[in-house]
Amino acid sequence: MSATVLPPPPLQSERPLLKKILEQTDASLSPVLEITRDNIAVVWISPLSIRLTLQMLKEDSQNCLMLFDLTAIDERDRIHREGQPASSFTVVYHLMSLQSAADEVRIKVALPDHSPSLPSISDIWPNANWYEREIWDLFGIHFDQHPFLRRILTPPTWTDHPLRKDHHARATEKPPYSLTEDQEKYEQDALCFDPSLWGMKRHSDHSDFMFLNLGPNHPSVHGVFRIVLQLEGERIVDAVPDIGFHHRGAEKMGERQSWHTYIPYTDRVDYLGGVMNNFPYVMAVETLAGISVPPRAQMIRVMLAELFRIASHLVFYGTMAQDVGQLSPVFYMFTDREKIFRIIEAICGFRMHPAWFRIGGVAMDLPVGWEGLIRSFLDYLPKRLDEYDALVMRNPIFRARTQGIGAYTKAEAVEWGVTGPGLRACGLEWDYRKHAPYACYDQLEFDIPTGQNGDCYDRIVVHIEEIRQSLRIIRQCVDHMPSGPVKAEHSLTTPPPKARTMHDIETLIHHFLNVSWGPVIPPGEARACVEATKGLNSYSLISDGGTTSYRTRIRTPSFAHLQMIPLLSRGIMIADLIAVVGSIDFVMADVDR
């Protein structure tokens, strides 16, 4: 691997994860340190040492090192790669220490254009299984010794690999679609279920197994999600999740839209999270551009994000009760959610998908009367939550259906990349807003709710207490909202303040170009992460010095969480699986993107 060995970025040589990697990597293979805009340690190592390095890191971590993300980059059209090793495809392993959220590292491996491959690490970190399948599906990079390397987000009959730069981004780039009778038969045959292809046996020594498609349907599996069950009676022998029905190519679209016009697409990822999806995206762009967001805009962002956290958790709470047989709570909680949407609509102009955050701040200032709307809701919801405690959480049938069901330990949660309420329900007091504060969270007081047993019931308890803490955060935002601008005074802020366009032609031209073509973001790489409604959500962006992203990587919590279903399902009844699936708190757009 030939490249210029760069000096370590400031402070990176003192980070424990980076020090371990440099100590364990063979010096003859010349590890290369890369400087990125987000100040996360980045080290390039040889494909020959990647598996051994990761294995040693895992063994030294004492179950506190998480494989946070695993993705790839098609480097073949990239221009600005100064200081990086030659590479046609790059595989990126993002590791995070739960002992310190600031101790993160990205390990990069350069691969050739022809037959790129790496050894699988799914036996080291089990959550690598789906990530490696995703890379194979979207980039065509093979992982040797992977137990089940097949397409995961696209249909089994798909040709080529969509995130390669030579794959079309729009249907209009291809001839009109047609389906002959032979093609239709081919597609139908590909849908036939063969248990052996899913790693399942038809028989045991004493019985024949039954196979059941659970989903896609709504409710129970929450939409376009399928679980193939291997059953002995009503007891589950094995369960294999099947995703990809909802895949819309959000990352591919991020490479064709301008930096500004991509913001509405982010709303549709976790479609219950609203502006919470804008948050990490605009923060990553701001890091690339060097934009400092004004304090008022920061606090407005936090206030709206917490309102959407409550709205999402209310949906989870109500549908979870519905999944195990209670019909009334979901109607009451959707009524409460409607009150939140009225506030969101009054401030943003839209309800579920306001796309209201902007590069450099927010779309506009708060309207007249916003404070009264929010204070009224802050006084209203706590009493309703008390009623729901009696209606749902103290209901003996609900307790019987959720306590002791679908439990996992802290070590298992870290192994599988679980974040958010699902991680805290195991007793681990870890929240990104506290451990790596962003926006103005370091100025606000709130507690981190935790559970003890890591079961369905504790996951619900954590969600409910998080609603109360979000109310507490919002009240502080209302009480201490600073004055000042809501958008940065920076040339790459998009769009510039519209009022100024009426005073000089230069600003009017700037406004027009930023909206129509988009700002030109300097070359570089940055990643931003937030504690979203369902766990950690991050955007990793690469700019090649143009008006669009060269690579947009969306790391969503739901994708990692659904991998645990086989572990949680084996040996339980079908009815218990419904409770397990509901307690995970996911939406399929967050999984498939």
Side-chain angles (χ1 to χ4, degrees), residues 145-160:
Q145 307 303 316
H146 189 284
F148 195 59
L149 194 62
R150 55 176 286 175
R151 291 193 182 269
I152 186 170
L153 292 177
T154 60
T157 56
W158 193 272
T159 56
D160 299 325

Side-chain angles (χ1 to χ4, degrees), residues 189-478:
D189 290 345
L191 297 176
C192 292
F193 176 69
D194 182 353
S196 63
L197 296 179
W198 295 72
M200 297 176 173
K201 295 180 179 179
R202 291 185 178 274
H203 315 280
S204 68
D205 294 337
H206 52 82
S207 66
D208 293 338
F209 295 124
M210 180 172 69
F211 298 92
L212 176 69
N213 275 313
L214 187 66
N217 62 269
H218 215 320
S220 76
V221 293
H222 295 220
V224 282
F225 177 41
R226 174 194 186 198
I227 308 175
V228 179
L229 297 179
Q230 182 183 21
L231 301 172
E232 191 166 20
E234 286 199 30
R235 196 163 296 280
I236 299 171
V237 177
D238 202 1
V240 180
D242 187 18
I243 65 174
F245 297 93
H246 202 6
H247 184 52
R248 294 173 295 176
E251 294 183 9
K252 188 77 170 180
M253 288 188 283
E255 298 171 13
R256 78 178 195 205
Q257 300 297 128
S258 75
W259 300 99
H260 175 64
T261 60
Y262 187 63
I263 293 173
Y265 289 84
T266 66
D267 277 33
R268 274 77 180 173
V269 178
D270 173 10
Y271 53 76
L272 300 178
V275 298
M276 189 78 81
N277 297 281
N278 307 159
F279 216 155
Y281 174 73
V282 295
M283 288 200 321
V285 178
E286 288 156 2
T287 302
L288 283 170
I291 297 173
S292 179
V293 179
R296 182 174 176 85
Q298 296 278 27
M299 192 158 284
I300 292 173
R301 285 179 174 183
V302 167
M303 183 176 69
L304 289 173
E306 294 302 322
L307 280 171
F308 267 107
R309 189 187 309 278
I310 296 172
S312 177
H313 281 9
L314 285 171
V315 173
F316 161 78
Y317 197 177
T319 55
M320 181 68 214
Q322 181 188 32
D323 283 345
V324 295
Q326 284 188 283
L327 296 182
S328 297
V330 70
F331 293 104
Y332 300 144
M333 295 175 194
F334 268 62
T335 299
D336 298 340
R337 179 176 177 244
E338 183 66 22
K339 292 182 180 294
I340 295 176
F341 280 161
R342 288 175 184 172
I343 297 171
I344 297 296
E345 187 175 21
I347 293 174
C348 306
F350 292 89
R351 291 158 52 87
M352 283 188 68
H353 306 132
W356 202 65
F357 289 3
R358 294 291 182 271
I359 300 169
V362 294
M364 62 187 71
D365 207 344
L366 298 168
V368 175
W370 69 272
E371 184 176 342
L373 287 174
I374 296 179
R375 287 193 187 278
S376 176
F377 178 75
L378 294 176
D379 294 337
Y380 161 84
L381 191 60
K383 298 174 185 177
R384 298 279 283 190
L385 293 176
D386 293 340
E387 293 177 11
Y388 301 149
D389 281 344
L391 180 64
V392 180
M393 302 306 289
R394 294 201 291 272
N395 184 302
I397 299 176
F398 187 82
R399 285 175 174 265
R401 292 293 309 276
T402 56
Q403 289 183 330
I405 304 297
Y408 51 80
T409 65
K410 284 186 283 189
E412 288 172 331
V414 176
E415 288 267 303
W416 287 92
V418 176
T419 56
L423 176 63
R424 294 186 281 273
C426 303
L428 189 57
E429 190 178 320
W430 201 91
D431 188 307
Y432 209 74
R433 294 171 294 175
K434 286 278 191 181
H435 290 82
Y438 53 93
C440 62
Y441 279 109
D442 56 345
Q443 304 168 30
L444 303 171
E445 294 183 2
F446 61 98
D447 298 322
I448 304 176
T450 59
Q452 294 180 339
N453 305 307
D455 58 8
C456 294
Y457 190 83
D458 276 12
R459 288 192 281 278
I460 302 162
V461 168
V462 171
H463 277 84
I464 296 167
E465 185 55 34
E466 285 191 0
I467 294 176
R468 298 183 186 276
Q469 294 302 319
S470 290
L471 292 171
R472 184 179 171 190
I473 291 171
I474 294 167
R475 189 175 294 277
Q476 292 174 73
C477 291
V478 175

Side-chain angles (χ1 to χ4, degrees), residues 548-568:
T548 61
S549 166
Y550 183 85
R551 173 77 173 102
T552 298
R553 168 59 178 170
I554 312 171
R555 190 276 181 192
T556 59
S558 296
F559 182 84
H561 296 171
L562 287 195
Q563 285 198 78
M564 290 195 76
I565 285 178
L567 175 70
L568 302 179

